[in-house]
Amino acid sequence: MKNNYALIMAGGIGSRFWPISRTAHPKQFIDILGTGKTLIQQTFERFRNIVPQENIFILTNEIYADLVLEQIPDMDRSRILCEPVMRNTAPCIAYGCHKIQKLNPDAAIVVAPSDHLILNNEEFIRCINKSLKTASENDCLITLGIKPSRPDTGYGYIQYNTKKIDDDFYKVKTFTEKPNIELARTFVQSGDFLWNAGIFVWSVKNILHSFKKHLPEINDIFNEGATVYNTDKEKDFIQTAFTQCTNISIDYGVMEKAENVYVLPSEFGWSDLGTWASVYELADKDYVGNAVIPSEKVIMYDSSNCMVNVPEGKVVVLQGLHDFIVVEDNNTLMICPRDREQEIKQVVADVKQRFGVDFI
């Protein structure tokens, strides 16, 4: 277990959850389902059951370092790896893996987002432990795939074939970005496609070999820091290193190109909580389909299938409203039809243009 490490990615800005998720306080730091714990707190606690706490690192933007410490007070600041600029997932993962390699060249690493929901923690832990063992013993990069319950256009898909290692890990055939609905239906009906959960497991040796082969420029940038990782010179080096990196995802930069990628088909109650629709699906609802978080002072007349998220203590009365999202936070109220929530990103852009960054 001492060779197992976790990298938790917590640098996104969660713009699809505006106005609750803001640049200054994005969704990973919010209790979006009203559970009493924020998403990053839940993620951290989950990984404490898998790897030693001192082997958990959090990758985030430097503007969120204090928020991380505030929400996870027993997290050592030296294990919060700060990106000075946003460069997508490949550079931050390269940074984390190079740093861990200097600490332990025999490390096996799980990389996971901080803002996903896992309903079955026991099964999740089983899948990650199995993957860490397989990744340590084989020349492979592992990704976790979720057995699809519906033809969803909001997820990427992983196609796999029959070649296996350790009985449960299948060779990945193709990665596909978010498909249209017709293609999504075909994928689900075929039976050999899984949702891409964005959770990866590998040995530090194998992932750095893949970076060297498929993203040599990024690998070289972080390899130059070999003598400063885990010293007081690391921060200054990283400030320069990130500005030299291209903006590229680990999926596109490495996983789609590598020949040794395997997937573990999994079922542990996963959702990426990517949209208000996904929150609505998971939230408790009344007998006419209204999901209200929190619900103490909301009164609804002749209203159904609404997603309502308003500040605690605020009295809200809704009448004759059906299939709407009603969200208030940060001096902003948004009311929009549930079937048009994909337009929220454009709304955010318009608000920024008309009223400035204070509302974003």
Side-chain angles (χ1 to χ4, degrees), residues 90-236:
C92 72
I93 290 172
Y95 169 28
C97 291
H98 273 281
K99 181 180 171 74
I100 289 171
Q101 196 264 343
K102 291 302 292 182
L103 290 169
N104 184 349
D106 297 319
I109 304 170
V110 51
V111 181
S114 60
D115 55 359
H116 289 187
L117 178 75
I118 308 292
L119 293 175
N120 188 341
N121 277 322
E122 201 172 291
E123 179 61 12
F124 177 79
I125 291 165
R126 190 190 71 81
C127 288
I128 299 298
N129 281 331
K130 181 192 282 271
S131 300
L132 285 164
K133 183 176 186 296
T134 297
S136 299
E137 297 170 353
N138 296 273
D139 174 16
C140 62
L141 306 177
I142 292 169
T143 183
L144 269 61
I146 308 299
K147 292 178 182 176
S149 57
R150 61 188 180 276
D152 199 302
T153 60
Y155 299 140
Y157 285 74
I158 301 167
Q159 184 184 25
Y160 60 95
N161 62 28
T162 54
K163 185 181 176 187
K164 291 191 286 187
I165 50 173
D166 290 358
D167 291 331
D168 299 302
F169 298 83
Y170 293 81
K171 185 90 162 55
V172 170
K173 194 172 177 182
T174 60
F175 286 90
T176 305
E177 290 302 307
K178 298 171 184 177
N180 59 35
I181 189 64
E182 292 80 13
L183 199 53
R185 286 196 187 103
T186 304
F187 287 171
V188 173
Q189 286 164 5
S190 76
D192 59 355
F193 282 81
L194 303 164
W195 287 337
N196 186 350
I199 300 168
F200 310 106
V201 184
W202 42 53
S203 70
V204 73
K205 176 182 70 179
N206 283 332
I207 188 58
L208 291 184
H209 177 77
S210 293
F211 267 110
K212 188 176 180 181
K213 184 176 180 180
H214 302 293
L215 286 176
E217 301 88 353
I218 286 177
N219 189 65
D220 287 347
I221 289 167
F222 290 102
N223 201 35
E224 284 174 19
T227 58
V228 302
Y229 291 127
N230 311 304
T231 75
D232 52 11
K233 295 179 181 175
E234 180 178 328
K235 185 178 179 183
D236 287 341

Side-chain angles (χ1 to χ4, degrees), residues 309-321:
N309 191 309
V310 293
E312 278 190 65
K314 182 139 197 160
V315 174
V316 176
V317 180
L318 300 177
Q319 186 163 15
L321 203 63

Side-chain angles (χ1 to χ4, degrees), residues 16-30:
R16 286 180 292 181
F17 279 100
W18 186 86
I20 282 182
S21 180
R22 298 292 184 97
T23 302
H25 198 97
K27 74 164 178 169
Q28 58 268 32
F29 301 107
I30 296 169

Side-chain angles (χ1 to χ4, degrees), residues 76-95:
D76 193 293
R77 195 174 193 113
S78 66
R79 298 201 308 278
I80 301 173
L81 311 189
C82 295
E83 313 156 74
V85 290
M86 293 179 75
R87 286 291 187 268
N88 215 317
T89 53
C92 72
I93 290 172
Y95 169 28

